[in-house]
Amino acid sequence: MPETVLVIGGGPAGLEAARSVAAIGGRAILVERRGVLGGTPDESSYAALTPRMGSAQDALDELRAGVADPAIDVRLETLVTGCSGSVGDFSVSLSGPGGESSERVGAIVVATGFQHFDPGRETQMYGYYEYPDVITLPDAEKMLKEHTFVRPSTGEPPRNVAFIQCVGSRDRRIGNEYCSKVCCGVASKEAIEIRRLLPDTKVYIFYIDMRMYGYWENEIYWPAQEQYNVTYIRGIVTEIVGKDGRLLMKGEDTTMGRPLEVLMDVIVLSVGMEPSRGTRDVAGILGVDQNKYGFIATPGEPMDPVSTSVPGIFVAGAAAGPKDLEDTIGMAGSAAIRAVAAVRGQAPAQPAAAR
Amino acid sequence: MPETVLVIGGGPAGLEAARSVAAIGGRAILVERRGVLGGTPDESSYAALTPRMGSAQDALDELRAGVADPAIDVRLETLVTGCSGSVGDFSVSLSGPGGESSERVGAIVVATGFQHFDPGRETQMYGYYEYPDVITLPDAEKMLKEHTFVRPSTGEPPRNVAFIQCVGSRDRRIGNEYCSKVCCGVASKEAIEIRRLLPDTKVYIFYIDMRMYGYWENEIYWPAQEQYNVTYIRGIVTEIVGKDGRLLMKGEDTTMGRPLEVLMDVIVLSVGMEPSRGTRDVAGILGVDQNKYGFIATPGEPMDPVSTSVPGIFVAGAAAGPKDLEDTIGMAGSAAIRAVAAVRGQAPAQPAAAR
C-alpha cells in the first residue's frame, strides 16, 4: 500500500528511521540483506561506542527492540531488485527467502551505509596483506570486543602500538579526498582501551590533524593524553617494513621536523569510509544521483541533509558520506519525517533550501 | 491543549522543529524572544552558508516560510517565564506583547542556541577591545554580507589578513575545553570570500588542527588552498600589539619550529560557541540538566542526541553544544518525532540507549 515507507538497510540509520516512522503513526517495510539486523556495527563486531564507551551490543539491542512493532514489517535476507513509479506511489521488487515479491510504497529511505576502506587495494606500502601485525581499526575492534589485544603473529601482548590516521581518506591518489570524520575518535577510543588492557604498552597515534570536533575534544582527546598517556605525533608515515620480527615504521615527524624510524609490534591502519556495495547497487536500482565518491548525493545540504535527487527518496546515515552515530540518528529522524510527509502528500513541493 | 508541542527559539533549530511537528500532523507553539524569526544567523547577519556558499538569507526565508502553517502558532517577542507539570501535560507561562499567558503543552523542544564567544572577556591579549582592526568571525561576516572587506581603522582594503583559530575553544584557562566544531569551516569560507573580493590581499589562517571533517575537506579546505591561495600555518599566536598603525602578531610556527612575528592589517579571531543567555535561562526555568559548560545535557548520546534529563523535554541545535547546520536540521527532525510521539503517548519509557 502506498501509505507505507520502504526503509532499505537494517543498520543504525535504517533501524532508527523505521522506528521513527512507526513512532509517528506511519507504516514501514524494513529490508535487510543479511539474516540479522544491526548493520556494520554488528557485522564488524563493534565493541564500545565513541565517545562515551557505551556498549555497541546494548545500543543495537535497543535499536532492534525499536522495530519490534506491528507497524514495521522486517524482511531479512532480502534485496531490492527493482523500482518504478514516483513519490507517493513507488512499486519496488524485493527478492527474499520466500522468492520475489512486489510492494507499493509511498516513499523510500536509503540506509545502506558504508564499508571500511580496504588498505590492500591500492596502498600496498603499508603491507596490510604482507604483515599479520599490520591491522585495521575494525580488526582491532574485533579483538577489543573479546577484551584482548595481542600481536596476531605471536599471540603475545605488544610492547608498542602505532595508529596511522587517514588511511583511505584525505588522499587524492586513491580518489578519496574527503575526511572520513570518525577515525580520529575511533582510533583514540581504541588507544584508550588498549592502554586500559595493557598498562605497560606504549600507544602512539600518527596524524595530520586530530579532528576531535565538539565534545570529542574534552571527552576523548584530552583524557587519552592525560589519563591514558597516549602519545600523539603529527607526522607522515611513508613505509612499513619487517625487521627482526617487528615492524619498522619510516616517515617524518612534521612537528619536530625530523625523520622518523621506529620499531612497532602492532600497527593499526585507521581506515576510512567508502560507500558500501549496497549503497552503490541501490543507488543504481533507484536511480538516485551519487556524488563523485559513490555516496548518495544530497543536493539540499546543509539545510536539507536527507533529500536525494529523486522526490520521495531520502537518505540517512553513512550511505550519504562519512557520518558519526549522532549524525546518523539525526538524519534518520529527518528522513522519517520527510518520508511520512511525502506519503501523506504534505511534503513541500521541493526540498527546503535546495541550492 | 496538551496535544501541542512548545518550541522555544526561532532560529534554524526551532524553525525546522516546528515545521517538522506540523509536517507530521502535530501542532506547535513557536516562541521567539526577538521580533523576527531567524535566530543567530539573522541577528549576526550571516551572509553565505558553510560549505556550499548558499545564501543564508534565502535559507532563512525558506525556513520561515515553513512555519507559515495554521498548525503553528508563532509568538514573537515572547519569553517562557515558568513551567510545571510533566510529559504529556506541561503548563508553561509565557510573557509577550499581549501580557502574560499560560499554555498547556504535551512536550517541549528547546532550541535556544548559542552565542559567539566574547574575546574581550578573558583574552585581553588579542586586543579585541583595544585595536579596531582586530575583529571576530561574525564581524567579518557582517562586512562580507555587504560585499566588502576593509580595515575598520581606515576604511581601506587590507594588504594582509590573518585568522586565529580556537579563540574561546579548546582552552582550559577559560573553561571552554570543547572544540566549537564549525570555526575551521567558517574561517576558511570567509577567507575564500575575502580572496574573491580582494585578489591582491594575502590571507593566512593560524590553526592547531584544521577540523574540516567529512566533505568540508574537499568542498572548502582544498579549494581554499588550491584555487584561492589561502595560506594555512600551524602555529600558536601569543600576542598582538599595535605597530606603525598596523598589527604585530607574535607567536610560533609549530611546523617550522620557529618564532613568528608578522605585521597584519586585519586579524580575525575565530571565536567559538558558548551557550546563549536564552539557553541558560530556559534550562533553569524548565529544570533540565546542563553540562559543565552550560549547554543542555543530552545523556543518551550518541544514540539519542535530543533527549534531556526531563522526559518530554527535548533539545535541538546548538543549545546542546557546538553544532553545524546539518547537525541542527537532523536534531530538529529527531526532536520533533520524539516530541510528537511523547504528546501522543507513544514514547518509549526512557530515552534510547541512555548510558
Side-chain angles (χ1 to χ4, degrees):
Chain A
M1 55 194 149
E3 288 76 24
T4 301
V5 175
L6 174 69
V7 178
I8 308 172
L15 290 167
E16 177 71 6
R19 190 195 69 74
S20 297
V21 166
I24 53 180
R27 301 189 66 81
I29 298 172
L30 175 60
V31 165
E32 164 58 40
R33 71 175 164 84
R34 295 167 69 227
V36 290
L37 296 172
T40 301
D42 175 83
E43 195 169 14
S44 290
S45 305
Y46 287 9
L49 298 178
T50 308
R52 293 190 184 166
M53 305 274 185
S55 153
Q57 193 59 52
D58 291 353
L60 289 179
D61 284 347
E62 208 149 333
L63 284 171
R64 289 183 189 116
V67 299
D69 185 306
I72 304 173
D73 175 1
V74 177
R75 311 270 186 98
L76 298 176
E77 297 179 336
T78 299
L79 294 173
V80 177
T81 54
C83 178
S84 61
S86 61
V87 54
D89 194 6
F90 291 102
S91 178
V92 291
S93 306
L94 304 178
S95 173
E100 310 293 309
S101 69
S102 179
E103 299 287 345
R104 288 175 65 197
V105 298
I108 299 172
V109 176
V110 180
T112 43
F114 73 100
Q115 65 190 29
H116 299 282
F117 175 75
D118 180 346
R121 202 187 60 186
E122 317 263 351
T123 57
Q124 278 299 346
M125 63 176 169
Y126 288 134
Y128 178 67
Y129 287 96
E130 188 174 356
Y131 305 113
D133 295 340
V134 177
I135 64 176
T136 62
L137 282 185
D139 295 334
E141 192 74 16
K142 209 159 286 181
M143 284 199 269
L144 293 168
K145 191 166 189 180
E146 304 301 323
H147 306 288
T148 184
F149 193 84
V150 298
R151 295 176 65 184
S153 65
T154 64
E156 296 297 310
R159 277 168 295 171
N160 49 35
V161 178
F163 288 78
I164 302 177
Q165 299 305 109
C166 300
V167 177
S169 306
R170 305 182 66 181
D171 189 338
R172 183 170 285 173
R173 289 168 309 156
I174 58 166
N176 294 356
E177 292 127 347
Y178 53 84
C179 156
S180 289
K181 198 169 182 177
V182 304
C183 335
C184 285
V186 174
S188 297
K189 177 202 74 103
E190 290 186 355
I192 289 172
E193 290 176 289
I194 293 167
R195 289 279 304 150
R196 281 182 181 169
L197 281 173
L198 306 171
D200 295 330
T201 299
K202 288 193 164 33
V203 180
Y204 304 86
I205 297 184
F206 292 86
Y207 71 99
I208 311 175
D209 297 277
M210 279 315 291
R211 295 195 163 162
M212 309 295 271
Y213 48 80
Y215 297 136
W216 289 18
E217 176 82 12
N218 51 294
E219 290 184 352
I220 316 182
Y221 190 34
W222 291 34
Q225 294 174 83
E226 296 184 343
Q227 289 172 43
Y228 296 98
N229 291 308
V230 175
T231 303
Y232 288 83
I233 297 173
R234 194 169 199 259
I236 296 163
V237 176
T238 50
E239 198 181 3
I240 294 169
V241 292
K243 187 178 178 186
D244 305 332
R246 301 178 73 197
L247 298 163
L248 181 65
M249 204 172 82
K250 298 179 180 180
E252 192 190 337
D253 179 327
T254 52
T255 300
M256 304 304 284
R258 64 185 177 200
L260 182 86
E261 252 193 52
V262 274
L263 279 168
M264 292 287 163
D265 292 322
V266 173
I267 293 177
V268 185
L269 306 182
S270 291
V271 290
M273 292 190 187
E274 292 195 323
S276 66
R277 209 184 104 187
T279 291
R280 294 179 190 274
D281 290 348
V282 165
I285 290 164
L286 301 182
V288 297
D289 289 350
Q290 295 167 266
N291 65 24
K292 65 174 168 168
Y293 311 115
F295 291 107
I296 310 288
T298 49
E301 280 180 11
M303 305 310 288
D304 175 0
V306 300
S307 290
T308 71
S309 61
V310 177
I313 303 183
F314 306 92
V315 61
K323 306 290 170 191
D324 63 29
L325 279 168
E326 289 180 40
D327 301 336
T328 294
I329 298 295
M331 288 179 79
S334 256
I337 283 183
R338 286 172 203 262
V340 168
V343 161
R344 294 180 186 163
Q346 295 174 323
Q350 54 183 26
R355 65 184 61 84
Chain B
M1 53 194 148
E3 288 76 26
T4 301
V5 175
L6 174 70
V7 178
I8 308 173
L15 290 167
E16 177 71 6
R19 189 195 69 73
S20 297
V21 166
I24 52 179
R27 301 188 66 81
I29 299 172
L30 175 61
V31 165
E32 164 58 40
R33 72 175 164 83
R34 296 166 68 226
V36 291
L37 295 172
T40 300
D42 175 84
E43 194 169 14
S44 290
S45 305
Y46 287 9
L49 298 179
T50 308
R52 294 189 183 166
M53 304 273 186
S55 154
Q57 193 60 50
D58 291 352
L60 289 179
D61 285 348
E62 209 148 332
L63 284 171
R64 289 183 190 115
V67 299
D69 184 304
I72 304 172
D73 175 2
V74 178
R75 311 270 186 98
L76 298 176
E77 297 178 337
T78 299
L79 294 174
V80 177
T81 55
C83 178
S84 61
S86 62
V87 55
D89 194 5
F90 291 102
S91 178
V92 290
S93 306
L94 304 178
S95 174
E100 310 293 311
S101 70
S102 179
E103 300 287 345
R104 287 174 65 196
V105 297
I108 299 173
V109 176
V110 180
T112 43
F114 74 100
Q115 65 190 26
H116 299 281
F117 175 75
D118 179 347
R121 201 187 63 184
E122 318 263 352
T123 57
Q124 278 300 346
M125 63 178 169
Y126 287 134
Y128 179 67
Y129 287 96
E130 188 174 357
Y131 305 114
D133 296 339
V134 177
I135 64 176
T136 63
L137 282 185
D139 294 335
E141 192 75 16
K142 208 160 285 181
M143 285 199 269
L144 292 168
K145 192 167 188 177
E146 304 301 323
H147 306 288
T148 182
F149 193 84
V150 297
R151 295 176 64 183
S153 65
T154 63
E156 295 298 311
R159 278 169 294 172
N160 49 33
V161 178
F163 289 78
I164 302 176
Q165 298 305 108
C166 300
V167 177
S169 306
R170 304 182 68 181
D171 189 338
R172 184 170 284 173
R173 290 168 309 157
I174 59 167
N176 294 357
E177 292 126 347
Y178 53 85
C179 156
S180 288
K181 197 167 183 180
V182 303
C183 333
C184 285
V186 174
S188 297
K189 177 203 73 106
E190 291 186 356
I192 290 173
E193 290 176 291
I194 292 167
R195 289 280 303 149
R196 281 182 182 168
L197 280 172
L198 306 170
D200 295 330
T201 299
K202 287 191 166 34
V203 180
Y204 304 86
I205 297 184
F206 292 87
Y207 71 98
I208 310 174
D209 297 277
M210 280 315 291
R211 295 195 164 163
M212 309 296 270
Y213 48 79
Y215 296 137
W216 289 19
E217 177 82 11
N218 52 294
E219 290 183 352
I220 316 181
Y221 190 34
W222 291 33
Q225 294 174 81
E226 297 183 342
Q227 290 172 42
Y228 295 98
N229 290 309
V230 175
T231 304
Y232 288 83
I233 297 173
R234 194 169 198 259
I236 296 163
V237 176
T238 50
E239 198 181 3
I240 294 168
V241 292
K243 187 179 178 185
D244 306 333
R246 301 177 75 197
L247 298 164
L248 182 65
M249 203 173 82
K250 297 180 180 180
E252 191 191 337
D253 179 327
T254 52
T255 299
M256 304 305 283
R258 64 186 178 202
L260 183 86
E261 250 193 53
V262 273
L263 278 168
M264 291 288 161
D265 292 324
V266 173
I267 293 177
V268 185
L269 307 181
S270 290
V271 291
M273 294 191 186
E274 292 194 323
S276 67
R277 209 185 104 187
T279 291
R280 294 178 189 275
D281 290 350
V282 164
I285 291 164
L286 301 182
V288 296
D289 289 349
Q290 294 166 267
N291 64 25
K292 65 175 170 169
Y293 311 115
F295 291 108
I296 309 289
T298 48
E301 279 179 10
M303 304 311 288
D304 175 1
V306 300
S307 291
T308 71
S309 60
V310 178
I313 304 183
F314 306 93
V315 61
K323 306 290 171 191
D324 63 29
L325 279 168
E326 288 180 41
D327 300 337
T328 294
I329 298 296
M331 287 179 79
S334 257
I337 283 183
R338 285 171 203 262
V340 168
V343 160
R344 293 180 186 165
Q346 295 174 322
Q350 54 184 26
R355 64 184 62 87

